[in-house]
Amino acid sequence: MTDVDREIEFLAPGTPIDLSNCEREPIHIPGSIQPRGVLIAVSDPDWVVQQVSANLADLTGVAWQDAIGRPLADVLGVAAAGAVIRSASAFGDLRERNPVEVTLDLDGDPVPVDALLHRAIVERGTVDAGDGPVATQELPVSSLVVELEPARGPRPFSFPNTYQAVRGTVAELNRASSLPELYDITARAVRSLTGFDRVMVYRYDADYNGEVVAEAKREDLNSFLGLHYPASDIPAQARALYEKNWIRLISDVDYAPVPIHPVEHPVTGRPLDLTYSTLRSVSPIHVEYLHNMGVRASMSISLLRGDKLWGLIACHHYSGPHAPPYATRAAAEFLGSTLSVRLIDRVAEDEVQRALRVRSTLTTLTAAALDEDRALSETLLGRPGLLDVLDADGVVVHLQGHRGSAGAELPQALADDIAAWAAARGDDVVATDALATDAPHLPAPTEVACGVLVLPLPEGQYVLWFRGEAVRHIDWGGDPHNKAIAEREGDEVRLSPRKSFDRWRETVRGRSEPWTAQEVAEVTELRTHLLEALYARSRSIVRAAETLQRSLLSEPPEPDHLEVGVRYVPAAREAQVGGDWYDVFRQPDGSTMLVIGDVVGHDTQAAATMAQLRGLLRGIAYDNGAGPASVLSRLDATIEGLALGAMATVLVGRLEQTADERGRGVTRLRWASAGHLPPLVVAPDGTQRLLESARPGLLLGVDPSLPRTEYEAEIERGSTLLLYTDGLVERRDQVFDDGVDLLGEALADLRGLPVEQLCDRLIARLMPEGAEDDVALVAVRLRPQER
């Protein structure tokens, strides 16, 4: 069963399809193929025919009824079957070796054929792993799917020379200096290569509405450039297939589907999964849609960012059927993959440059905020300032009794009302691009404050950015609000795809430019810096402690498989902020980052340095795929490059969920240390384990040229992992080792408590008279494996 099966409740086979239910059509198991080739499914590894398409005799001279249950060699001939089996038996991905060029004998005439191979997993079985009947290993049971396409005419070039066929275009893509140039080069090259009448580069937005961003076409065709198409034109299950099978060809939209016999696979009792098939029959709704556009043949090539669909290269042919040979399609797919890589590089480069500019501004503002002789509002509204952190029409601040603004003007009373509304929502950051919709009671003029982003701060303080209305004119390929037409078929009425694709302009009002996820993340970090700056400027110890608490004791994320607790305890004797900190955040891939650190020193400078390091580390670590050792090395280099003069101990860990060879969930901790104390693990049975590193490493800020070492350990489900700073284990009256031993004993004794209670009891047990030094800790409980 595929991921698509689990996410969509598909219709039963044979259910009539129209626009009212097409999003549930099981398009990956159509039970038929396009007639430009033949499909054979054989058992693996004994190569016996299990299913075939009804047109088998067209290429082999063998009726499909006679092929079922026979060896592949009886159907294709010994030589052709041998070539297929050798390719299927070789190590690696079958599709990377396609096509297998064979010659079939059809009534005495040699027929050159491209054999395209892939495996379709039909069931998962278990085999004895060698340790007795109980120890089994789960293995996939698959069928080898052989698709045969006649190689009509001379091959345009040998498939292994695909790169040579497009190397000039690849060089152009590498020289391109902008995204539009990348799009245009690709559209022209794919049209030249494949001969389609029109080739478009089609880009999705966040909601999968598409826009034609480049086009190469016959001169007599009207242009689709700049037109938008609603997400419903390509339903979710089709997009999911596009993410797996990167190229699809419909050589003739008037084709008659060729059924596969038997309908149900002999192993599964279900139709054969054609997700990776090149001949897969397509949805009749899609065929109808193409008919309505006047298209006679089409081809689509996926554009991916990571493993997610970013867009398509869409090819249309109007003058009749069109079937580029496989090698040509493979070359076009190669171009699509190259464009995907260049798009990722280009977008990543733009994002990195922007992130670096914002990071530099945040660092400057954080340092400047330590100047207590200058009002914090004045610091934030200077150059660089808050409008350099976020692109907005204006910004208003209310901090420590001072008010100020930059950019466009917003009435003070209205700004206060918006800030109060945002504070009432209870979030650290409140963002909307449609304030009139989300807060209709606020009399905010849309031309000034259609969208707002607010940082609510303690005691009614705030930072508020605002953007005016961004009126957008969207040119759609047909009315997106009238996507279907009703057509009578006998006594019934069905919903059919629209037939008009004329340019239809929609004006969207009442929204500002949206606040991006990256912008929200950046101002969330700024909020932490502001809270820390407010603390440093406070003249009241009580107010300072409250501000510190709100700054650092944010709620950590808590994935389903983890229970997380965090604590920060300031030194009782100093009543001032120190340099200890923690951080817990999730990565887009589902892993959880754990950070614990201690800046050298106990003063406002240590707090500012801690804020800088915490922010820099989070920015470096988030979504870049780097391991903990790489994160520490980059942070060390950044400290030197920005001349921060910081010294600190830091431990960075990454908890990852993986599966062992039996498919069971396994949690692994990867970590690297810059002179920090080792993590402590207590198993469910109370066994203690100190994860000591062979080389704990030097402190950050000592020598960034030295490499960092990364370690890895498997953590048993039900265990408790603890990261901590030295204030928890070091005392004037005891040595460090004794403190660690006491901590291990306490953690083992308290392991049965919920993590939040465990944190409090640990602190109370180890520091009954309060903390002599700042203490930060992170406790993580791995929830037991569900049985």
Side-chain angles (χ1 to χ4, degrees), residues 341-359:
V341 171
R342 291 293 293 119
L343 288 173
I344 292 171
D345 290 345
R346 184 71 194 183
V347 171
E349 181 181 342
D350 292 344
E351 289 177 352
V352 166
Q353 291 301 319
R354 182 192 174 282
L356 288 175
R357 290 195 300 271
V358 172
R359 182 71 54 202

Side-chain angles (χ1 to χ4, degrees), residues 11 16-24 285 484 493-496:
L11 299 171
I17 304 295
D18 66 11
L19 282 188
S20 67
N21 61 8
C22 65
E23 72 279 358
R24 296 171 54 209
I285 291 292
V493 174
R494 69 184 292 271
L495 292 177
S496 172

Side-chain angles (χ1 to χ4, degrees), residues 586-602:
R586 296 198 73 189
Q587 295 282 24
D589 64 1
S591 61
T592 301
M593 299 297 296
L594 309 174
V595 181
I596 195 85
D598 185 0
V599 174
V600 174
H602 295 90

Side-chain angles (χ1 to χ4, degrees), residues 432-442 444 446 449-451 510:
T432 174
D433 61 359
L435 181 62
T437 300
D438 292 338
H441 64 284
L442 294 174
T446 57
C450 188

Side-chain angles (χ1 to χ4, degrees), residues 705-742:
S705 67
L706 293 179
R708 298 288 177 182
T709 304
E710 188 167 302
Y711 301 90
E712 181 176 319
E714 182 175 330
I715 309 296
E716 181 184 356
R717 288 294 186 89
S719 299
T720 303
L721 168 68
L722 187 72
L723 310 184
Y724 51 96
T725 55
D726 57 6
L728 191 61
V729 293
E730 287 186 339
R731 298 284 181 279
R732 293 187 180 94
D733 58 354
Q734 73 180 25
V735 296
F736 166 78
D737 289 343
D738 290 342
V740 173
D741 291 341
L742 290 173

